[in-house]
Amino acid sequence: MLKLVVCIKQVPLVSELPWDSRTGTLRRELAEGMINPACKHALEAALQLKQKHGGEIAVFTMGPPMAEEVLHEAQAMGTDRGILLTDRLMAGADTSITAFTLAKAILKECPDFDLVLCGCYTSDSETAQVGPQLVEELDVPGAANVHHIELIGKTLRMKRISDNFIETLEMELPGLVTITTQEFQPRYVPLKGLQDAFEGSDITRIGADDLGLDMGKLGTTASPTKILNVYSPTAKKKNIVLKGSAKKVVEELFDRFEDKIGGAIRKDLKVEKKYNE
Amino acid sequence: MSENNRSIWVFGDYRNYFQNRVTLQLLSRAIELADKISASVCAVVMGHDVDEYVGEYIAHGAQKVYVIEHPQLKNYSIETYSYLMERLARIYKPEIIFVGATMFGREFAPRVAKKLGTGLTADCIGLDINEDGLLVQIAPSFGGNLLAEIITPESRPQMATVRPGTFQEIPHDYNAVGEVIRIPLPEDLPEDRVRLISTERWRKKGQRIEDARVVVCGGRGMGSKKKYKKLFELSQLLGGIIGATRPVVYAKWVDEESLVGQAGKHIRPKVLFSFGISGAIQHTAGIGDAGFIIAINKNINATMMKMADVAIVADANQFCTALTRELKKRIRS
Ligand SMILES: Cc1cc2nc3c(=O)[nH]c(=O)nc-3n(C[C@H](O)[C@H](O)[C@H](O)COP(=O)(O)OP(=O)(O)OC[C@H]3O[C@@H](n4cnc5c(N)ncnc54)[C@H](O)[C@@H]3O)c2cc1C
Ligand SMILES: Nc1ncnc2c1ncn2[C@@H]1O[C@H](COP(=O)(O)O)[C@@H](O)[C@H]1O
């Protein structure tokens, strides 16, 4: 039976969230969460594989307790199990430690996986690093930014666009892919399905102890990168401000900068005075 | 072996023109930083028939180039290249490794960092050395107008990726001399588990936003998909290309191709129109090289307005309509 793993992350709905100036981390508890868009495409890709080949989908997420919501939502889409990694000690992990912790959990809960699917990046941190680093942790073949997959026996054929090249790649499973938002348009989840998923879900919660890990290996403490300082950049430039009705401002713009704009588009934008009468 | 001299490495990414430019841009920044920690600047080049690039990197300031050349390395391969980079880094122990944030670089760097057990900061918009001699990686953070300074205090090397266009390359100096260190392909190189079946050039149709002389960017302040569409006519009149902020792309008013900023394209038009855009750092990270900026926003205090050469306080839609009308008149005349 095909064993699929999908890693998803809950991301804030609003992009302007307050941050904790003391720790330099985002105050996620204040945001309403949703499934990161690329992760949703990864879920869809997994669901399509399951439809075609049968199998089982386990979904992993690491985050605060409220991140459980995204596992319910994934189940409403049609996945089978949800695994929530949540522990104070796991908080503040950088990508390297996030990948390490996810790998430990995957190997514990789903050691005989065939394929791990991640989103290509998250909308809140956008590093696109967790997927490739998970490849290293799991020591399997892997490819990032894939928009098409096809399973032929134990061989996964993939397509991706990379730096102006279209590449067709193949690897033997087990392996890992990160999925872009180009294809695999996520299916719609009806409200009824969502409610049912919240009632009868199969969710496993995992903490540091369950993974046999302590503070020295997890979260902020273990992360090789540290945030020194967070600040707000200041804008520069002494500029000209134009105000008034749109028509008046457009005229003023051309009066003063017709040559700049005309120069850029290589057109003469001067008009004879009579047009302005 | 550990060198007496510290070194800063730049991954020689050359697969296409723009990838090669980011390598040159990183070399230029590496030279400035190397000065502060008395380090040497080195490029690492893997591939087949790469002499052209080795020469170019020396002409752009690399004091040393490590070269692994072999027909087997003809195509970029994520497994082999990251394996080789790890090996080189374990032998020569660079202080710092910079990688261009190209599609390849963004997959390569995290894998190398993980193999080496070190940290990595993605998409830095600034790089510096602090008083402790540590690399300060400045990156946009947390979904707002914030920048974070990130360091890697203990593990080595310190690693960062940087988007094309963030730094400026220095001019060629063909008299420059550099040391070329050729390293044979290891005999125990593991077989690639990801097989490249075929590769073809991907040609996007039409003009690229990166090359456009005029870009008309629209943000959430355009109000709706329908109103946003008005920018297309304006952009066409100007012979320009449409750009967008992320919320607009997420709302599917326009394709992802048009995204400008940290996660999208770096543009450098002669004239940039910015309609209804607040100016979050993730967006403005992509417009640093724009020549003349005209921003239209109803809020005079928006960051975008402060960055503009001409800040127009107006309704984005009404202004767009008025400007389109006026342009038609003028272009005809
Ligand atoms: C990891 C990460 C990466 C990101 N990468 C990118 C990226 O690459 N590119 C990007 O663009 N964003 C990116 N973002 C999002 C970014 O932080 C901002 O949220 C986004 O740029 C804001 O878009 P906006 O200016 O269109 O919208 P808003 O911030 O909502 O601004 C709308 C503006 O329109 C003005 N306005 C409203 N109505 C009118 C009107 N009628 N007439 C005139 N003006 C009006 C308002 O005053 C306001 O200034 C990223 C975010 C994260 C977290
Ligand atoms: N906390 C997390 N829990 C589960 N999966 C994650 C987490 N963080 C990142 N990922 C996975 O890694 C991908 C890339 O994330 P990032 O490196 O943050 O851009 C996401 O789309 C997820 O598939």
Side-chain angles (χ1 to χ4, degrees):
Chain A
M1 189 181 59
L2 192 61
K3 292 216 164 170
L4 301 168
V5 167
V6 187
C7 293
I8 67 174
K9 189 179 178 192
Q10 187 178 44
V11 293
L13 249 181
V14 281
S15 54
E16 271 92 58
L17 262 189
W19 93 105
D20 188 327
S21 55
R22 211 168 29 81
T23 59
T25 48
L26 195 61
R27 298 192 55 194
R28 284 175 210 281
E29 70 277 11
L30 300 178
E32 236 189 294
M34 60 171 190
I35 300 182
N36 172 55
C39 296
K40 245 182 153 164
H41 288 253
L43 280 169
E44 180 61 36
L47 288 163
Q48 290 185 17
L49 279 179
K50 179 180 158 181
Q51 269 166 350
K52 203 158 165 206
H53 304 277
E56 196 181 87
I57 304 176
V59 182
F60 288 72
T61 192
M62 178 169 101
M66 73 176 255
E68 187 173 326
E69 289 166 16
V70 295
L71 297 176
H72 292 293
E73 198 180 331
Q75 293 202 340
M77 285 173 78
T79 63
D80 302 286
R81 285 177 65 201
I83 296 105
L84 173 67
L85 284 73
T86 189
D87 198 308
R88 253 172 230 291
L89 297 181
M90 293 177 185
D94 69 3
T95 63
S96 167
I97 296 303
T98 300
F100 168 77
T101 317
L102 284 171
K104 284 280 183 231
I106 292 170
L107 293 174
K108 175 166 188 288
E109 293 294 322
C110 210
D112 51 350
F113 67 86
D114 293 296
L115 181 64
V116 178
L117 299 100
C118 289
C120 58
Y121 60 75
T122 53
S123 63
D124 65 338
S125 67
E126 197 125 356
T127 71
Q129 288 173 189
V130 172
Q133 298 200 315
L134 203 48
V135 171
E136 292 294 329
E137 289 285 355
L138 296 170
D139 190 20
V140 292
N145 298 313
V146 168
H147 65 262
H148 176 84
I149 54 178
E150 193 188 341
L151 186 60
I152 309 152
K154 279 271 175 191
T155 306
L156 191 73
R157 178 170 276 230
M158 303 160 281
K159 271 191 196 301
R160 67 168 176 190
I161 294 170
S162 187
D163 299 314
N164 296 331
F165 293 91
I166 305 175
E167 296 180 342
T168 305
L169 305 165
E170 271 184 12
M171 66 188 183
E172 301 305 312
L173 298 187
L176 183 148
V177 286
T178 81
I179 302 286
T180 67
T181 52
Q182 258 167 291
E183 305 282 335
F184 297 116
Q185 197 58 43
R187 63 196 59 196
Y188 174 72
V189 185
L191 199 59
K192 179 74 177 61
L194 253 179
Q195 281 163 353
D196 293 349
F198 268 87
E199 277 148 27
S201 297
D202 175 7
I203 306 277
T204 312
R205 283 167 161 258
I206 289 186
D209 285 345
D210 302 300
L211 297 177
L213 296 172
D214 58 21
M215 192 162 128
K217 296 257 186 226
L218 292 168
T220 327
T221 326
S223 295
T225 57
K226 309 278 179 224
I227 295 167
L228 255 191
N229 187 12
V230 178
Y231 61 98
S232 169
T234 39
K236 12 128 214 193
K237 245 177 199 179
K238 214 167 68 213
N239 59 4
I240 293 157
V241 176
L242 304 181
K243 282 188 215 197
S245 77
K247 189 164 176 298
K248 202 184 118 246
V249 177
V250 167
E251 269 168 27
E252 201 177 338
L253 181 70
F254 280 108
D255 280 349
R256 297 174 68 165
F257 303 107
E258 157 267 305
D259 54 333
K260 270 253 183 256
I261 301 168
I265 69 172
R266 299 184 172 118
K267 284 203 173 98
D268 185 2
L269 297 175
K270 278 196 200 66
V271 285
E272 303 298 321
K273 257 289 171 248
K274 64 183 177 198
Y275 280 97
N276 287 344
E277 278 165 23
Chain B
M1 177 198 119
S2 86
E3 289 180 309
N4 304 338
N5 273 332
R6 299 199 273 187
S7 60
I8 301 181
W9 284 14
V10 174
F11 170 63
D13 196 349
Y14 55 80
R15 184 160 60 162
N16 67 42
Y17 179 79
F18 288 98
Q19 282 174 277
N20 197 38
R21 300 257 77 77
V22 70
T23 309
L24 304 182
Q25 291 156 8
L26 283 173
L27 280 170
S28 132
R29 186 65 188 147
I31 292 165
E32 291 162 359
L33 298 181
D35 221 30
K36 303 190 184 182
I37 51 169
S38 9
S40 59
V41 173
C42 312
V44 177
V45 182
M46 303 173 207
H48 182 50
D49 277 341
V50 288
D51 280 352
E52 173 192 342
Y53 303 107
V54 174
E56 191 174 14
Y57 298 155
I58 290 173
H60 279 267
Q63 291 155 305
K64 213 182 262 182
V65 184
Y66 295 97
V67 187
I68 309 184
E69 179 148 25
H70 197 278
Q72 214 176 308
L73 302 179
K74 182 167 150 278
N75 290 310
Y76 271 40
S77 145
I78 189 69
E79 286 207 332
T80 302
Y81 277 41
S82 51
Y83 174 87
L84 292 173
M85 192 69 167
E86 177 197 5
R87 235 165 120 140
L88 289 180
R90 287 200 186 280
I91 300 170
Y92 297 101
K93 303 191 180 0
E95 265 299 293
I96 294 173
I97 302 180
F98 295 143
V99 177
T102 60
M103 294 289 271
F104 183 80
R106 293 186 63 154
E107 186 176 6
F108 171 77
R111 295 194 53 170
V112 172
K114 189 86 226 184
K115 284 177 193 293
L116 292 168
T118 191
L120 170 67
T121 303
D123 292 337
C124 294
I125 61 161
L127 295 167
D128 219 330
I129 300 284
N130 72 7
E131 56 282 8
D132 301 326
L134 289 173
L135 177 70
V136 181
Q137 302 142 31
I138 302 161
S141 77
F142 314 132
N145 302 301
L146 297 173
L147 288 177
E149 292 182 347
I150 297 164
I151 52 168
T152 311
E154 273 145 38
S155 30
R156 288 293 172 276
Q158 307 163 80
M159 289 184 64
T161 67
V162 175
R163 292 247 170 190
T166 305
F167 299 112
Q168 276 228 293
E169 63 187 72
I170 54 171
H172 291 245
D173 172 5
Y174 287 111
N175 297 321
V177 279
E179 191 184 344
V180 178
I181 299 171
R182 294 191 183 268
I183 293 155
L185 194 68
E187 275 167 22
D188 56 351
L189 184 70
E191 199 187 339
D192 237 310
R193 293 179 295 180
V194 181
R195 301 182 294 275
L196 181 66
I197 304 300
S198 68
T199 175
E200 54 187 291
R201 275 200 174 267
W202 181 56
R203 286 246 170 267
K204 279 173 276 177
K205 287 145 260 135
Q207 194 190 5
R208 289 158 27 105
I209 191 168
E210 293 96 322
D211 308 328
R213 294 171 64 87
V214 178
V215 173
V216 178
C217 262
R220 189 141 59 180
M222 282 307 287
S224 69
K225 182 168 184 166
K226 198 162 146 238
K227 292 177 180 164
Y228 183 88
K229 291 271 181 245
K230 287 190 195 167
L231 295 177
F232 283 88
E233 187 185 5
L234 174 63
S235 156
Q236 214 161 32
L237 278 174
L238 291 163
I241 299 267
I242 284 283
T245 62
R246 202 172 70 171
V248 164
V249 169
Y250 273 4
K252 299 218 175 351
W253 294 358
V254 66
D255 287 345
E256 196 168 346
E257 283 293 280
S258 304
L259 180 64
V260 170
Q262 183 206 353
K265 305 284 167 37
H266 276 259
I267 58 172
R268 36 177 185 189
K270 300 262 183 267
V271 175
L272 169 66
F273 286 90
S274 174
F275 283 88
I277 292 177
S278 59
I281 181 73
Q282 287 91 355
H283 176 72
T284 57
I287 60 172
D289 295 325
F292 190 70
I293 302 179
I294 302 167
I296 303 92
N297 199 305
K298 57 180 192 188
N299 175 8
I300 191 173
N301 293 317
T303 311
M304 197 59 234
M305 295 286 267
K306 305 221 165 79
M307 286 186 65
D309 296 278
V310 184
I312 297 174
V313 187
D315 178 84
N317 271 291
Q318 285 172 9
F319 183 80
C320 174
T321 309
L323 180 62
T324 307
R325 190 180 304 136
E326 180 70 19
L327 263 174
K328 280 187 183 160
K329 204 162 83 184
R330 286 181 181 248
I331 288 173
R332 216 183 309 119
S333 67

